[in-house]
Amino acid sequence: MSRYSSKSQTVRKPAVVSKSGIVAAQNRLAAEQGAEAMVRGGNAIDAAVTTAFALAATEPWMSGLGGGGSMLIYLAKEDQVKVIDFGMVSPSNLDPADYPLSGGVASDLFPWPAVVEDRNLLGAKSIAVPGAVDGLGKALEAYGTIAWHEAIQPAIDLAEAGLSVDWFSALVIASSAKDLSRFPSSASVYLDDGFPPSPTWHAVGRSPTRELTGLTNTLKHLAEYGPREFYEGALAKVIAKDVQEAGGYLSEADLAAYEARELEPLVQDYRGAKIYVQPELNGGPTMLKAFGEIVEHSFSGDRPGAATYKAYAESLLKVYEERLATLGDADEARGESCTTHLSAVDAQGNMVTLTTTLLSIFGSKLVLPTSGILMNNGIMWFDPRPGHPNSLAPAKRCLANYSPTIMKDDWGRVALGASGGRKIFPAVFQILSYIKDFGMSLDEAMHHARIDVSGTERVVMDAALPLAVRGDLVSRFNTAETPRDVFPLAFACPSAVLRKGNENQGASEVMHPWGDAVSAESRAHTVPTIRE
């Protein structure tokens, strides 16, 4: 714990309760656009897709056109859960020999052995095939009600207005300024003469902005020509050209071959509730195993005590040991992941839980000069060492940590997920247990302190946990204690919606300064109620 951290400060962010639709996201401006889509008559899928595109302009270092991810959709009328996987894939002509080890340990999220010139972390060689545009397009076409251009227009408006530089955006940009400065196209967007931009110190007045001209023009082009323009049209050609001229492998053929996938969810019973996750290469299957480990424990009372956290820790340590051995992740997590999560519910009870990511903060740090798209560094998800379960190879799906989840119980449903790399599924796991095992409201569950287990070595404790709980954990495990703070985030950053009867609830991470849940009724006065 930092010696400067307050030990008495309390932060609260009440959950939003409404019979109208709600969007919970890591950026309020983006969540407002999703809520307004529902005011215009759209459903939760329309709201989620609109919000995801808006985040590309309001929180660009976390997600955007150059990334990938996954979503779960609950269709109320059909009582069905759908999965759309739009994860990233390595380029088909990628040569693993072009990523030789240099000695030492990598400096980013995962402590892989370091690669020469950090080619798997920074710049064009770190870019995997993005899936976000195709995934969002498929979701909208299959389950949405609004037109493609309607879903993108709010993002266009926000991009034209520019990225506001407040204290938080200035902090985030400063954290990556050194790497952004390596690429002129990136520095021109995010830096001032090579330095991070400065927010105003005045209490009133407009914050300075960064122009997003390239992104604005690309969004307008996509709105006109549709999602496959990103993969097969003129836009695909300029994307591939910019990446290859910068030394990367991404090709027109890679983009043309990319297709987001609709999958059947994995579902597991937990004390009478059903928990749905995405199958395959993400955190969901490992989380289901963690629930399997604690199902025999008898939890009682309205708050988890020392025995509960002992069970949580033992379960997470066990399943992480298996995950690391069989799925190829690394020994210890560190750094911040460049991921965002949003959840949406509409008045009819349809729900979406959607995670989208560039992987590292600012992804590859490379803004493509022609299109203004900030690209992912999905190649960092792979182990650069040959002969391992997750070793780098061409045309290979990336192993991800995101865990969008839906839980159905006799009282209703909750849809949630988080950003935070390997911290994601332990957070989702505990919040669901708080709600199911202890009857907490969404507000209570989102505010309640958690532990984090992101590997096999250590249990990280929120300093707000009761002293008896922390003492018991210290006596049993290798532990560290830290506050739940704004930056860096020692714990994951969840966003969730819950439906009980005909009432909806929404909440975002308590400590995130931009995150919020926004109801459609709160935005009803800002837009017409009928789409033109």
Side-chain angles (χ1 to χ4, degrees):
M1 182 186 297
S2 167
R3 64 191 177 114
Y4 300 108
S5 296
S6 169
K7 294 185 177 181
S8 59
Q9 177 174 292
T10 300
V11 178
R12 293 201 60 80
K13 187 185 291 185
V16 170
V17 179
S18 175
K19 290 185 178 180
S20 72
I22 297 175
V23 178
Q26 289 178 197
N27 181 277
R28 178 184 56 82
L29 292 177
E32 287 176 351
Q33 306 311 310
E36 289 178 12
M38 290 190 282
V39 172
R40 294 187 179 98
N43 62 18
I45 297 86
D46 301 318
V49 172
T50 299
T51 303
F53 276 118
L55 287 166
T58 59
E59 195 190 38
W61 45 79
M62 290 293 182
S63 64
L65 309 184
S70 170
M71 73 176 86
L72 270 64
I73 299 170
Y74 175 76
L75 302 174
K77 185 177 180 180
E78 296 83 355
D79 191 28
Q80 292 180 348
V81 175
K82 305 290 185 180
V83 176
I84 296 182
D85 169 28
F86 50 99
M88 293 176 255
V89 181
S90 61
S92 59
N93 63 342
L94 179 143
D95 181 5
D98 201 12
Y99 300 80
L101 304 184
S102 62
V105 180
S107 59
D108 213 301
L109 284 175
F110 309 118
W112 301 125
V115 169
V116 169
E117 300 172 349
D118 282 337
R119 292 174 186 173
N120 59 334
L121 311 182
L122 299 170
K125 281 183 166 51
S126 71
I127 295 171
V129 186
V133 174
D134 195 57
L136 297 175
K138 279 185 166 51
L140 192 69
E141 181 179 11
Y143 304 110
T145 68
I146 66 175
W148 171 253
H149 69 88
E150 290 181 275
I152 296 183
Q153 187 60 49
I156 295 172
D157 296 339
L158 289 166
E160 283 186 320
L163 176 68
S164 179
V165 179
D166 65 359
W167 70 268
F168 185 65
S169 54
L171 173 64
V172 173
I173 293 170
S175 73
S176 295
K178 181 178 180 181
D179 288 332
L180 290 168
S181 69
R182 300 187 186 194
F183 308 103
S185 56
S186 306
S188 68
V189 174
Y190 293 107
L191 305 180
D192 282 330
D193 297 324
F195 294 93
S198 299
T200 178
W201 284 93
H202 302 292
V204 295
R206 180 179 173 84
S207 297
T209 59
R210 305 301 302 173
E211 293 185 2
L212 302 175
T213 306
L215 178 63
T216 301
N217 292 336
T218 294
L219 286 167
K220 289 179 178 178
H221 187 81
L222 270 177
E224 181 176 358
Y225 290 98
R228 289 308 297 179
E229 172 69 10
F230 189 96
Y231 299 91
E232 300 175 49
L235 180 56
K237 293 181 184 296
V238 300
I239 290 171
K241 181 175 181 289
D242 278 354
V243 172
Q244 290 184 3
E245 287 183 351
Y249 284 104
L250 182 68
S251 69
E252 289 183 48
D254 291 322
L255 290 167
Y258 186 87
E259 291 277 354
R261 305 179 300 164
E262 183 167 321
L263 305 173
E264 288 297 316
L266 291 180
V267 58
Q268 180 170 302
D269 181 85
Y270 178 70
R271 306 189 202 275
K274 292 187 181 300
I275 300 175
Y276 296 82
V277 300
Q278 178 188 331
E280 301 179 7
L281 299 176
N282 68 101
T286 306
M287 182 176 66
L288 292 185
K289 292 179 180 178
F291 276 109
E293 292 293 326
I294 66 167
V295 72
E296 299 303 324
H297 289 269
S298 179
F299 297 151
S300 60
D302 60 357
R303 290 294 182 272
T308 303
Y309 286 100
K310 172 180 176 290
Y312 288 165
E314 289 174 341
S315 169
L316 291 168
L317 288 166
K318 182 176 180 178
V319 299
Y320 249 119
E321 183 175 10
E322 179 183 349
R323 180 178 177 87
L324 303 189
T326 61
L327 296 182
D329 215 339
D331 294 333
E332 183 180 348
R334 56 185 179 171
E336 292 298 310
S337 69
C338 182
T339 304
T340 196
H341 184 84
L342 64 98
S343 297
V345 59
D346 61 30
Q348 291 70 46
N350 301 301
M351 306 178 91
V352 177
T353 172
L354 187 159
T355 310
T356 180
T357 183
L358 296 176
L359 187 49
S360 291
I361 201 159
F362 286 98
S364 64
K365 313 298 190 291
L366 176 60
V367 173
L368 299 184
T370 306
S371 63
I373 298 172
L374 179 59
M375 298 298 283
N376 69 80
N377 64 340
I379 298 305
M380 192 182 66
W381 257 316
F382 296 104
D383 189 338
R385 299 168 296 182
H388 290 260
N390 190 38
S391 291
L392 184 59
K396 186 175 180 179
R397 290 195 169 269
C398 303
L399 169 65
N401 293 296
Y402 43 71
S403 308
T405 305
I406 290 174
M407 182 173 74
K408 291 172 53 182
D409 207 348
D410 54 7
W411 51 260
R413 300 172 296 280
V414 59
L416 78 161
S419 63
R422 287 176 52 186
K423 300 185 285 286
I424 292 174
F425 91 74
V428 174
F429 166 74
Q430 287 170 85
I431 292 170
L432 288 176
S433 177
Y434 291 166
I435 293 171
K436 175 60 182 174
D437 292 317
F438 299 96
M440 290 188 191
S441 67
L442 183 60
D443 183 272
E444 292 171 319
M446 293 288 281
H447 282 85
H448 201 78
R450 303 189 300 268
I451 62 171
D452 177 66
V453 175
S454 294
T456 61
E457 300 299 325
R458 187 171 59 184
V459 175
V460 178
M461 308 177 297
D462 187 334
L465 284 167
L467 181 61
V469 170
R470 285 179 282 142
D472 186 72
L473 291 171
V474 167
S475 71
R476 298 175 186 278
F477 306 101
N478 176 20
T479 61
E481 181 178 315
T482 186
R484 189 173 175 180
D485 214 339
V486 174
F487 190 90
L489 286 170
F491 304 91
C493 184
S495 297
V497 292
L498 181 148
R499 184 171 179 84
K500 191 172 186 178
N502 63 353
E503 182 182 85
N504 295 324
Q505 302 173 26
S508 67
E509 166 55 33
V510 176
M511 294 305 301
H512 198 295
W514 284 1
D516 242 335
V518 178
S519 69
E521 66 181 346
S522 73
R523 305 301 298 170
H525 67 284
T526 67
V527 293
T529 57
I530 299 176
R531 297 196 310 274
E532 296 180 358

